[in-house]
Amino acid sequence: MSTATPESSNAPAAPLIQISNLNKWFGAFHVLRDINLSIASQERVVICGPSGSGKSTLIRCINRLEDHQEGSILVDGTQLTRNLKNIDLVRRDIGMVFQQFNLFPHLTVLENCTLGPIWVRHMPRQEAEETAKRLLDRVQILDQSTKYPGQLSGGQQQRAAIARALCMEPRVMLFDEPTSALDPEMIKEVLDVMTDLAESGMTMIIVSHEMGFAAQVADRMIFMDDGQIVEENTPDAFFNNPQSDRTKLFLSQILRH
Amino acid sequence: MFFRDQSEMLPERPAPITEVGVIGWLRINLFSSYGNAALTLVSLALLVLIIPPFVSWGLIDAQFSGDSGAACSGIGACWAWLDQRLGQFFYGFYPADAHWRVNVTALLLVPALLYVLVDNLPGAKFGRWFSYVYPLLAAYLLVGGFGLEVISTDKFGGFMLNMVVGLTGIVLSLPVGILLALGRQSRLPVIRLLSITFIEAVRGVPLITLLFVAIVLLQLFLPPEVSLDQLLRVIIMVTLFASAYMAEVVRGGLQAIPKGQIEGAQAVGLGYWQTMRLIVLPQALRISIPGIVNTFIGLFKDTTLVIIIGLFDLLGHARLLQTNPDWIGDVDHEAYLFSAAVFFVICFLMSRYSVSLEKQLSQDRH
């Protein structure tokens, strides 16, 4: 560090995502309890926890696929409320990858990728196609670009879904159990793409049970249970020296099989 | 033994004769079991019993010329009226010197339909525009004005009336039905309630009732100086009736689309209308094709109900012929048979188009 700019010396850069006192209910069920979490630009956060602990719900709140009842979520300074304009703004900046891929089966892989840029970013078709091809090449399925999702393997579909999200040039990528629906031999190809993405400096929030992958790419591990954040630590400390009993139990169950 | 080493490839052999060729086809399709074989034989016997007498009645013994029913023997079919009445069956009471306008409209319908229904035709870009403009062009040609002699819509009749009411209803009921189906799933209670009320109210009432309302009751509520064209009222009612059914067919398709599709679209940043137009409806409508075409066919046949309110469509003219003193008693079957055949051709074409569309769409994707 030779020259420190005034901004970086006085105040640390505002976090890209700031979640404060977040509470959410599904009907009477209290699914998220007082979540406080801030995520800096270029940070990689892996969230794990038993099923039903609210980890998917939490990241689905970040791009407003779920609404929340209490607390606030700020994404790059934009407050997420019922305001549709804000929701659109936030969704443009956030890419999401789903467990079930959610590719559009009636469109080719290339069309899946160009849809958002053309209709949301109003990019000229040719430019959108060039971007899409570059990113499909990056996830190594450029040769599949004219096929329909139904003609691809699960691993290829998930890589196409990652490319589709990247085409919107997001500032954050959300991954909701991206490898849980894949056959074992296809998990690696998807994790490789995600590792590559992490190394390129993308801000990533990942819900996953792939602990080896988490140890490798995460800057921070978060363990959730019963709708709250139970433990938060660096991967090293998290795996080698977990503090809470619930974390220990969870890690012993997930690592033993 | 648990271990095996079959490294030598077994040679490929031709399929047995019972599986391929004519014999194979017969065996698989017609004589696959005792029950199937019995059905095949019974069907054959029925065909032999029905077809030859029908052909000799309808063609061989039939009378094709003559000025009245007296010319017909009564043994074969009496087609002598075709010569005199075919025009009325197709044009109704539309003035004879303007029949060319109906003919031109019908001729232009062919490219207008083709450019909508078939992909990759030459000149598709211009063709699509022609298809969009065609309804206006057809209305101008049939009704007149702007230099063409105006022909009142109560002169419309015969099969041309069925086509006008049926095609307009088909073209309008699909978009209205889609909007109603989306409205029924809307998160906004007012829109949802209005859609449900409309759909259930219209589906709960026979079409004839709606037509009576359109002709008789509507005038009571409108100021006396306002008079809505009879044909227009019929078209509106037929469209509303079909769109209520269409809404339910489309809703079935909408419900088959997984929630993940909508979430995927939202995550990419698409808004509600973009999500519906680009992601949900293309998939939902594809699933709904059989139901949609079914509704179209039903609508097209329902156009014969206009006879109730005094308009004479194809079936109306068949009845006029049957009660005409010159032909009474001689053409009871023939007039209906002819009308049925005309309707069958159109409805069968629609049905075949739907089958080929489904095949084409499923080939594209897998």
Side-chain angles (χ1 to χ4, degrees):
Chain A
M1 281 291 188
S2 52
T3 52
T5 55
E7 291 95 314
S8 64
S9 59
N10 294 340
L16 192 52
I17 294 170
Q18 175 83 52
I19 299 172
S20 341
N21 302 101
L22 178 71
N23 277 285
K24 175 174 174 60
W25 287 263
F26 282 131
F29 178 56
H30 198 172
V31 60
L32 292 178
R33 308 179 190 190
D34 260 332
I35 304 282
N36 285 288
L37 181 65
S38 61
I39 289 161
S41 185
Q42 303 211 340
E43 199 179 6
R44 272 94 55 179
V45 176
V46 172
I47 305 175
C48 61
S51 70
S53 58
K55 48 199 191 316
S56 285
T57 309
L58 173 60
I59 69 164
R60 286 161 59 86
C61 281
I62 296 175
N63 67 348
R64 193 77 178 182
L65 287 185
E66 303 283 354
D67 55 0
H68 57 273
Q69 282 81 39
E70 278 177 21
S72 79
I73 303 176
L74 277 164
V75 179
D76 200 16
T78 309
Q79 175 87 247
L80 268 179
T81 58
R82 216 163 269 175
N83 185 331
L84 288 176
K85 224 171 158 185
N86 281 3
I87 296 176
D88 283 346
L89 262 173
V90 165
R91 282 183 182 159
R92 271 180 208 210
D93 275 344
I94 301 183
M96 185 160 192
V97 175
F98 299 87
Q99 184 177 357
Q100 300 295 343
F101 327 134
N102 295 352
L103 289 168
F104 309 128
H106 61 301
L107 301 176
T108 64
V109 169
L110 188 68
E111 287 165 343
N112 264 278
C113 290
T114 56
L115 193 76
I118 289 175
W119 289 91
V120 181
R121 288 202 180 274
H122 307 292
M123 199 185 268
R125 175 173 297 274
Q126 203 186 345
E127 193 187 334
E129 285 184 356
E130 279 164 18
T131 312
K133 282 180 180 163
R134 182 166 52 76
L135 289 163
L136 285 171
D137 191 32
R138 184 167 167 194
V139 300
Q140 293 170 17
I141 47 168
L142 183 56
D143 51 332
Q144 312 286 334
S145 64
T146 56
K147 289 191 183 168
Y148 289 92
Q151 297 167 314
L152 305 187
S153 74
Q156 290 172 325
Q157 289 192 49
Q158 193 60 299
R159 284 185 282 150
I162 293 173
R164 177 178 75 177
L166 289 177
C167 280
M168 289 294 288
E169 290 161 12
R171 303 195 55 194
V172 188
M173 286 282 284
L174 307 175
F175 292 84
D176 187 3
E177 305 204 25
T179 55
S180 302
L182 295 176
D183 289 336
E185 75 269 24
M186 294 170 183
I187 291 177
K188 186 176 178 296
E189 63 190 49
V190 171
L191 291 182
D192 283 349
V193 166
M194 289 170 64
T195 309
D196 168 63
L197 198 59
E199 280 163 2
S200 77
M202 175 63 76
T203 312
M204 294 162 83
I205 305 173
I206 305 158
V207 171
S208 177
H209 292 138
E210 296 295 333
M211 289 302 137
F213 165 77
Q216 191 191 338
V217 301
D219 296 314
R220 185 156 39 133
M221 291 296 303
I222 287 174
F223 173 70
M224 284 184 74
D225 197 7
D226 278 339
Q228 40 195 332
I229 295 180
V230 174
E231 190 159 346
E232 191 175 354
N233 220 327
T234 61
D236 204 27
F238 182 82
F239 288 113
N240 298 324
N241 187 19
Q243 301 298 309
S244 120
D245 290 340
R246 283 195 275 181
T247 315
K248 286 176 195 162
L249 178 70
F250 175 76
L251 286 176
S252 72
Q253 281 167 341
I254 204 168
L255 297 176
R256 202 190 297 141
H257 63 232
Chain B
M1 282 295 285
F2 296 108
F3 302 102
R4 176 190 294 226
D5 179 10
Q6 175 80 57
S7 40
E8 193 183 321
M9 276 295 284
L10 297 172
E12 192 173 308
R13 291 191 296 136
I17 192 155
T18 51
E19 297 300 313
V20 290
V22 179
I23 294 175
W25 187 89
L26 284 175
R27 229 181 87 95
I28 291 164
N29 290 294
L30 298 179
F31 298 99
S32 59
S33 66
Y34 288 114
N36 195 354
L39 275 179
T40 302
L41 294 177
V42 169
S43 308
L44 266 179
L46 277 176
L47 289 178
V48 169
L49 275 174
I50 292 168
I51 290 181
F54 187 73
V55 169
S56 64
W57 173 81
L59 291 173
I60 299 169
D61 297 336
Q63 179 68 32
F64 287 92
S65 60
D67 292 332
S68 72
C72 295
S73 61
I75 301 168
C78 186
W79 300 116
W81 53 272
L82 277 174
D83 191 35
Q84 285 181 10
R85 295 298 185 104
L86 200 60
Q88 266 186 24
F89 271 52
F90 282 102
Y91 302 102
F93 299 119
Y94 205 81
D97 59 352
H99 278 183
W100 66 271
R101 283 158 63 173
V102 180
N103 296 342
V104 171
T105 312
L107 262 176
L108 291 179
L109 177 63
V110 176
L113 275 180
L114 282 180
Y115 277 113
V116 172
L117 301 181
V118 185
D119 277 341
N120 304 325
L121 287 179
K125 206 165 186 182
F126 168 78
R128 277 282 157 91
W129 277 109
F130 176 70
S131 300
Y132 295 141
V133 176
Y134 175 79
L136 293 176
L137 190 64
Y140 167 66
L141 277 167
L142 293 178
V143 180
F146 300 106
L148 272 182
E149 185 200 346
V150 174
I151 293 172
S152 147
T153 53
D154 56 18
K155 294 275 189 289
F156 285 25
F159 192 59
M160 163 228 174
L161 179 63
N162 296 112
M163 289 293 276
V164 168
V165 176
L167 280 178
T168 320
I170 283 173
V171 168
L172 294 178
S173 66
L174 185 59
V176 177
I178 290 173
L179 286 178
L180 282 170
L182 292 177
R184 191 166 187 160
Q185 300 202 319
S186 169
R187 275 198 228 165
L188 308 171
V190 178
I191 292 180
R192 191 171 59 236
L193 204 69
L194 282 176
S195 306
I196 294 178
T197 311
F198 176 87
I199 292 169
E200 297 303 340
V202 171
R203 277 203 309 170
V205 175
L207 178 55
I208 292 183
T209 318
L210 288 179
L211 291 177
F212 271 129
V213 168
I215 300 305
V216 184
L217 279 180
L218 206 60
Q219 203 56 56
L220 296 180
F221 301 119
L222 291 173
E225 61 272 16
V226 176
S227 85
L228 214 55
D229 186 85
Q230 290 260 79
L231 183 64
L232 196 60
R233 296 185 205 187
V234 168
I235 288 177
I236 290 172
M237 282 303 169
V238 167
T239 303
L240 293 183
F241 187 74
S243 54
Y245 281 88
M246 192 64 72
E248 289 299 281
V249 170
V250 173
R251 186 166 70 98
L254 289 177
Q255 280 174 345
I257 306 304
K259 204 165 159 255
Q261 288 293 305
I262 296 172
E263 290 179 352
Q266 287 176 336
V268 171
L270 298 178
Y272 174 81
W273 289 107
Q274 287 176 330
T275 304
M276 290 302 140
R277 204 186 113 201
L278 300 169
I279 306 300
V280 176
L281 283 174
Q283 298 182 59
L285 292 181
R286 191 181 134 200
I287 303 172
S288 314
I289 289 172
I292 291 174
V293 175
N294 196 26
T295 311
F296 283 168
I297 290 176
L299 182 157
F300 190 66
K301 292 189 295 184
D302 277 350
T303 59
T304 53
L305 287 174
V306 296
I307 199 168
I308 300 288
I309 54 170
L311 294 175
F312 286 93
D313 71 322
L314 176 60
L315 210 57
H317 280 279
R319 290 192 153 199
L320 278 185
L321 175 71
Q322 286 166 343
T323 51
N324 183 300
D326 283 347
W327 301 98
I328 195 162
D330 294 305
V331 292
D332 286 350
H333 307 300
E334 291 83 343
Y336 278 143
L337 200 63
F338 178 80
S339 310
V342 173
F343 271 99
F344 178 78
V345 168
I346 302 292
C347 294
F348 187 66
L349 283 176
M350 283 198 252
S351 153
R352 294 318 297 175
Y353 175 74
S354 116
V355 171
S356 78
L357 188 64
E358 281 170 57
K359 264 196 192 147
Q360 182 198 328
L361 285 175
S362 65
Q363 254 169 15
D364 277 359
R365 308 306 179 230
H366 296 289

